[in-house]
Amino acid sequence: MASRDPVADLRRIAFLLERANEATYRVKAFRSAAATVARTPGEELAERAAAGTLAKLAGVGEVTARCVTESLAGEEPVYLRRLLSTEGTDLPAAAAELRAALRGDCHVHSDWSDGGSPIAEMALAAAEVGHEYFVLTDHSPRLTVARGLTADRLRRQLDHVAELNAQLPDGFRILTGIEVDILEDGSLDQEDELLDRLDVVVGSVHSKLRDDSARMTRRMLAAIANPHLDILGHMTGRKVAAAGAGDAAHRTARTRPPSTFDLEKVLAACVEHDKAVEINSRPDRLDPPKRMLTVAVEAGCRFSIDTDAHAPGQLDWQGFGCERAALCGVTADRVVNTWTADRLVEWTASHR
């Protein structure tokens, strides 16, 4: 039997674990093993598989060694087969139709801030899940816990993205962007000159989430009126218990109630300034809640269904957002990332 590609099998396992929101250490074990196997000559891999010494390679453990051995023997690794058999059910028809209409993702992180993978790896994974583009939205300077990008680092990232775009396969494009902090006075945490250079700006509140309703409302309204902001990210800032995110005590510790603000005023401002409300697909966010999403639909808002991905496998989380969007009556014509990259950039440029 012809051998399979063990690197591809290991990467696929890591992808599926990320999509299932499994523990980070487990994902890293497979990605580390894939990197080691990719660097090891094929003849040596075959010899080690036959001798049972694959686990002596740095970054390869007993479980990953077994997967490599099975791949080299032409067998689908048992670990991969088990993951594929428990992937879950298909999306309902309306959600599946909405997911099929999406061309890209407007909220993606890399290892330049708090993501776990290089930009190029995220781009390849995005192309594999069927995207035509994604917007790279690493964090802004004030969010030091997430290694937010200073102005100088963001300038370097823009040069790096230009180089990557010249190397990527035809039909896929990385759009430049940022997830910029909405500061306490409603201003945006990056230089205006740099924000003006970006294709898409997502603005999110990450601090003082327990501000009283009046203060939070003023803060959000000021940001929405800013001509540099295009998409209001994870509107309430809430965190919910997500399956696969650890034991019950850990999941409870990571929950966070939504911020309070005048929803009608915030949504009216989004409509007035033609800004999109993000439907954040992360299983630990699912923001905004369905009751707020329904009000946003009735208000006439535009939307962006995003993953807020911090790892390659998370780029396939859009189905979670699409399912909630479909339940609340969101249609594809109201979703900005059903557009081509060129149309999306034309829309954001109109805000400037």
Side-chain angles (χ1 to χ4, degrees):
M1 187 181 296
S3 69
R4 295 166 59 94
D5 181 351
V7 175
D9 281 342
L10 292 169
R11 289 184 66 241
R12 182 62 178 166
I13 290 169
F15 181 95
L16 293 170
L17 289 171
E18 285 168 343
R19 187 167 70 179
N21 209 21
E22 292 290 348
T24 302
Y25 76 88
R26 192 169 294 151
V27 176
K28 284 185 174 179
F30 284 93
R31 291 212 178 275
S32 296
T36 296
V37 171
R39 292 192 299 266
T40 306
E43 186 176 332
E44 181 182 347
L45 284 176
E47 290 174 354
R48 286 184 175 275
T53 60
L54 281 168
K56 293 185 180 298
L57 290 170
V60 179
E62 294 297 334
V63 173
T64 51
R66 191 177 311 121
C67 292
V68 173
T69 300
E70 290 165 347
S71 290
L72 291 174
E75 304 168 6
E76 184 175 63
V78 172
Y79 200 108
L80 175 58
R81 191 160 64 244
R82 185 167 67 248
L83 286 173
L84 291 171
S85 70
T86 57
E87 274 190 283
T89 58
D90 292 336
L91 288 172
E97 184 177 339
L98 189 54
R99 174 64 187 88
L102 296 181
R103 293 172 178 262
D105 191 330
C106 293
H107 190 164
V108 174
H109 295 275
S110 77
D111 62 1
W112 280 63
S113 65
D114 61 341
S117 295
I119 300 168
E121 187 171 343
M122 296 297 287
L124 292 173
E128 287 174 3
V129 300
H131 291 330
E132 297 173 13
Y133 60 85
F134 72 66
V135 185
L136 180 62
T137 53
D138 282 322
H139 289 284
S140 61
R142 298 282 184 96
L143 203 62
T144 54
V145 68
R147 296 179 60 241
L149 273 62
T150 63
D152 285 343
R153 289 184 66 215
L154 180 54
R155 289 187 181 93
R156 291 200 297 275
Q157 186 181 80
L158 293 178
D159 291 339
H160 181 55
V161 169
E163 293 171 1
L164 286 175
N165 274 329
Q167 301 166 10
L168 288 170
D170 290 342
F172 188 85
R173 178 176 166 192
I174 303 169
L175 298 180
T176 59
I178 192 171
E179 184 183 13
V180 66
D181 267 29
I182 296 173
L183 303 178
E184 291 178 52
D185 62 356
S187 61
L188 305 182
D189 179 33
Q190 190 48 274
E191 296 176 6
D192 284 349
E193 175 269 331
L194 268 174
L195 293 176
D196 203 45
R197 289 178 57 187
L198 300 175
D199 293 320
V200 181
V201 174
V202 177
S204 306
V205 175
H206 288 108
S207 61
K208 299 293 183 68
L209 291 166
R210 301 272 60 80
D211 268 353
D212 65 60
S213 178
R215 188 178 294 115
M216 182 63 79
T217 301
R218 288 193 298 270
R219 183 179 181 184
M220 295 173 74
L221 292 179
I224 293 165
N226 190 308
H228 291 109
L229 184 139
D230 304 307
I231 299 170
L232 181 61
H234 47 71
M235 184 166 66
T236 76
R238 75 171 185 170
K239 287 287 189 75
V240 297
D247 60 30
H250 180 61
R251 290 200 299 272
T252 302
R254 293 184 61 188
T255 61
R256 182 169 64 214
S259 298
T260 58
F261 51 88
D262 189 318
L263 179 63
E264 285 73 20
K265 285 184 178 179
V266 167
L267 296 177
C270 287
V271 174
E272 177 187 353
H273 297 286
D274 195 23
K275 307 298 175 70
V277 172
E278 178 181 69
I279 300 174
N280 191 293
S281 303
R282 289 190 65 86
D284 59 342
R285 284 195 183 274
L286 297 177
D287 196 357
K290 288 198 289 285
R291 59 183 175 80
M292 288 188 172
L293 186 50
T294 300
V295 176
V297 172
E298 294 170 352
C301 291
R302 294 191 193 275
F303 301 95
S304 182
I305 303 177
D306 303 323
T307 61
D308 194 355
H310 287 65
Q314 297 174 8
L315 287 161
D316 211 20
W317 279 352
Q318 278 180 317
F320 299 132
C322 288
E323 191 161 8
R324 295 168 62 78
L327 284 171
C328 295
V330 176
T331 52
D333 61 304
R334 303 266 289 273
V335 180
V336 300
N337 47 326
T338 63
W339 299 341
T340 64
D342 286 342
R343 184 181 175 192
L344 179 67
V345 172
E346 286 175 8
W347 172 69
T348 61
S350 73
H351 299 148
R352 313 288 185 258

